[in-house]
Amino acid sequence: MGSAGGGAAPSSGMLSLRRFELLDQLSGTSESSEINAYLAAVADTLDVTNTVLASAGKLKLFCGNPPLDVPLMRGLLRERIAFLAKLGQDTEAIKARSGIVIVILQALREKYACR
């Protein structure tokens, strides 16, 4: 992993929504262990961040207690890809510059809003 990233990723450490989509399609029914590890790390980071914010009396990133696990992360990303496909516009550029961490966070904030 690491140095040679391909494509037009905005940042070397960022996994774009487009790259996730391609890897997800290539892996078919057998999920990529590298993607699963990445998504598990994202889930853990979001969970810890929410816990720290709540314990400090600050607003959490999202509310509710969704099961922050790989299946949820994959589902949120797949939903966003499907939503973009329904827009009927050229969404490749959007997917290429959208990091999956931001996409996941936005989806969690929409689905589990703190109201």
Side-chain angles (χ1 to χ4, degrees):
M1 295 188 179
S3 63
S11 155
S12 62
M14 185 186 86
L15 179 62
S16 72
L17 188 58
R18 179 64 180 138
R19 183 166 236 174
F20 168 81
E21 179 183 36
L22 292 172
L23 292 171
D24 195 44
Q25 289 170 351
L26 287 174
S27 63
T29 56
S30 63
E31 296 178 349
S32 161
S33 59
E34 290 86 6
I35 296 292
N36 284 350
Y38 190 94
L39 294 176
V42 170
D44 288 346
T45 301
L46 291 172
D47 191 36
V48 168
T49 301
N50 247 3
T51 300
V52 169
L53 288 171
S55 67
K58 299 190 179 198
L59 288 175
K60 295 177 5 175
L61 298 173
F62 53 90
C63 292
N65 291 315
L68 292 183
D69 55 16
V70 171
L72 175 66
M73 303 293 113
R74 278 185 178 278
L76 294 172
L77 292 169
R78 288 172 178 159
E79 285 174 15
R80 188 55 51 109
I81 290 166
F83 170 77
L84 290 172
K86 287 180 185 176
L87 289 179
Q89 301 171 353
D90 180 25
T91 58
E92 295 308 306
I94 294 169
K95 290 189 280 188
R97 68 175 181 261
S98 298
I100 66 167
V101 175
I102 298 300
V103 170
I104 289 170
L105 181 56
Q106 287 173 334
L108 287 169
R109 294 182 89 163
E110 290 167 11
K111 221 172 213 186
Y112 304 100
C114 298
R115 297 181 202 251

